[in-house]
Amino acid sequence: MSIFDQLSGGPSRAEEQHSGGKICSRKGCRDGAAWQLLWNNPRIHTPERRKIWLACTAHREWLEEYLTLRGLWRQTLPLPGAAGGEGGD
């Protein structure tokens, strides 16, 4: 545990993800992820490249809208093995 963990009251996001817990990519959210939002930036990525943000059910729509408004969103899929991800778009 680092000094930052002690100040924040818990492990960092990076430590949570490395320990196997998949958490939502929305800033400040620590809920478990149920969705994976696939995106790419066509100005810097090849067309087949996909980056992934994870989303809880509550933030899925917000993150999709954020990426869509910037022309980055490509697809949303359920996160394998996660509860709450029912069907993809």
Side-chain angles (χ1 to χ4, degrees):
M1 182 181 290
S2 73
I3 183 109
F4 299 110
D5 294 337
Q6 293 172 356
L7 293 174
S8 70
S12 69
R13 287 177 69 93
E15 288 175 336
E16 285 181 6
Q17 289 194 345
H18 288 301
S19 68
K22 304 283 188 196
I23 59 170
C24 182
S25 296
R26 176 75 164 104
K27 184 177 181 180
C29 184
R30 297 213 180 266
D31 291 342
W35 300 94
Q36 48 185 343
L37 284 69
L38 284 60
W39 64 277
N40 83 348
N41 184 338
R43 291 181 297 167
I44 60 175
H45 300 129
T46 60
E48 65 278 353
R49 170 94 188 264
R50 293 293 181 263
K51 307 269 292 180
I52 299 173
W53 279 358
L54 300 178
C56 65
T57 301
H59 290 120
R60 173 188 170 191
E61 187 175 321
W62 190 95
L63 290 166
E64 281 179 355
E65 184 175 336
Y66 180 92
L67 292 169
T68 299
L69 287 173
R70 289 154 180 82
L72 307 176
W73 179 82
R74 299 296 172 250
Q75 186 177 21
T76 298
L77 300 170
L79 184 63
E86 302 145 37
D89 287 354

